[in-house]
Amino acid sequence: MIPTAILLEKGASSLHADKGEILFHEDSMATFYYQLLSGRVRLSNFLSDGREVLHNVICANEGFGEVAILDNGVYTVTAITDSSCTLLKISSKKFIEIIHEYGNLHRLVSQKMARELHFKLFMIKLIYNRSPEEILSNLIQKLNESKRLVCQECNRLMLTRQQLANMTGLRVETIIRTMKQMDKEDKLNIIRGKVFVRADGID
C-alpha cells in the first residue's frame, strides 16, 4: 500500500516470520505499522474458551496496524502469520510522519479503512440474517468480486473450512456439509478437497 522505498527511507526494518508466529497481541500498545511483502497474516480475536474469531486475512502488498496507531491506542486484534512471511515494519511515529507528509498516502489509508469497515458491516448483516448456505454464498461472492482470497488465475478459494468457520461463526461441520450441498447444486466445485469458485460467480 505504501511504496517500499518510502518505508525504507523512513527507517522501516525487514523481518522474516515463520508460520504461526504472533506479530502483536490484542490489547498491546500499537508501536508498529506492518506491511506484508510475501505470505499471509490473519487478524483475529480469541475467546475465553480458545475459539478464534477471524476478522481479516492480510495478503502480499497490504498493510495492517494503522487503525490502532491513528487511534493512539492498542491493537484490537492479534496478528498471526498464516504462512512463512516477509514483512516491513516501521514505528508508529514514523508512520504518522509518512501519512502527514504524503497526502495521497493518507487518502489511501483512509480508503483502506473504509473498505474494511464496509466489509465488517457486510459480515455482521450477513451472519445475523442468513442461512448457512446464504452466508457462504454471499461471502464467497463478495470475496470473488473484490478479488481477495480467491485466486485470480485458477478461481480457488484461499480459505480453509476452519477459517471460514472462524470468520462466520458457523461450525466446521456445518461449513463442510453446506459446501458439499453447494457442490451438488453446481454453485461451486470441490476438487481433491479444494474449493473452486465458478468463473461466473455464485448464483
Side-chain angles (χ1 to χ4, degrees):
M1 185 171 59
I2 297 176
T4 299
I6 293 176
L7 290 172
L8 293 173
E9 179 187 336
K10 291 293 186 178
S13 57
S14 176
L15 69 150
H16 175 82
D18 295 325
K19 181 178 180 180
E21 289 192 33
I22 294 177
L23 301 172
F24 56 75
H25 288 273
E26 175 184 358
D27 294 328
S28 62
M29 287 302 300
T31 52
F32 290 100
Y33 165 79
Y34 294 81
Q35 193 152 297
L36 193 59
L37 301 181
S38 65
R40 297 201 324 179
V41 172
R42 65 184 194 274
L43 305 181
S44 301
N45 292 126
F46 290 87
L47 305 181
S48 57
D49 61 4
R51 284 182 296 160
E52 181 178 350
V53 179
L54 177 60
H55 295 290
N56 198 3
V57 177
I58 306 299
C59 300
N61 301 315
E62 296 179 345
F64 57 99
E66 72 282 355
V67 175
I69 292 173
L70 293 173
D71 191 36
N72 197 29
V74 299
Y75 297 117
T76 56
V77 293
T78 297
I80 312 160
T81 55
D82 208 35
S83 67
S84 177
C85 295
T86 303
L87 310 97
L88 290 177
K89 73 173 185 177
I90 192 166
S91 71
S92 54
K93 180 181 178 180
K94 291 295 184 179
F95 172 77
I96 293 295
E97 284 183 12
I98 288 173
I99 62 173
H100 282 172
E101 185 174 340
Y102 298 91
N104 62 317
L105 296 180
H106 196 299
R107 287 191 296 274
L108 287 176
V109 170
S110 298
Q111 289 169 354
K112 174 181 179 288
M113 291 167 58
R115 286 194 301 271
E116 291 177 351
L117 177 58
H118 176 84
F119 183 75
K120 178 58 63 179
L121 295 174
F122 164 81
M123 287 298 299
I124 291 172
K125 180 179 179 182
L126 188 65
I127 291 169
Y128 277 95
N129 290 287
R130 307 287 179 170
S131 68
E133 183 168 328
E134 289 176 313
I135 289 173
L136 289 177
S137 295
N138 283 274
L139 174 57
I140 293 170
Q141 184 71 7
K142 181 77 169 180
L143 294 174
N144 192 38
E145 288 173 354
S146 60
K147 298 182 179 179
R148 294 203 74 251
L149 302 173
V150 175
C151 176
Q152 295 304 295
E153 296 179 359
C154 67
N155 291 338
R156 177 186 166 193
L157 179 65
M158 306 300 288
L159 290 170
T160 67
R161 273 71 159 182
Q162 183 64 62
Q163 288 174 329
L164 287 168
N166 293 344
M167 185 176 284
T168 62
L170 297 171
R171 292 171 60 86
V172 175
E173 295 82 1
T174 303
I175 297 284
I176 293 171
R177 183 174 61 252
T178 303
M179 283 192 153
K180 286 182 178 178
Q181 182 60 36
M182 293 171 68
D183 183 31
K184 290 180 181 178
E185 296 171 356
D186 199 29
K187 293 184 176 180
L188 50 76
N189 300 112
I190 300 176
I191 303 172
R192 298 188 183 90
K194 308 298 183 183
V195 177
F196 293 85
V197 181
R198 288 175 33 177
D200 57 352
I202 298 177
D203 293 331

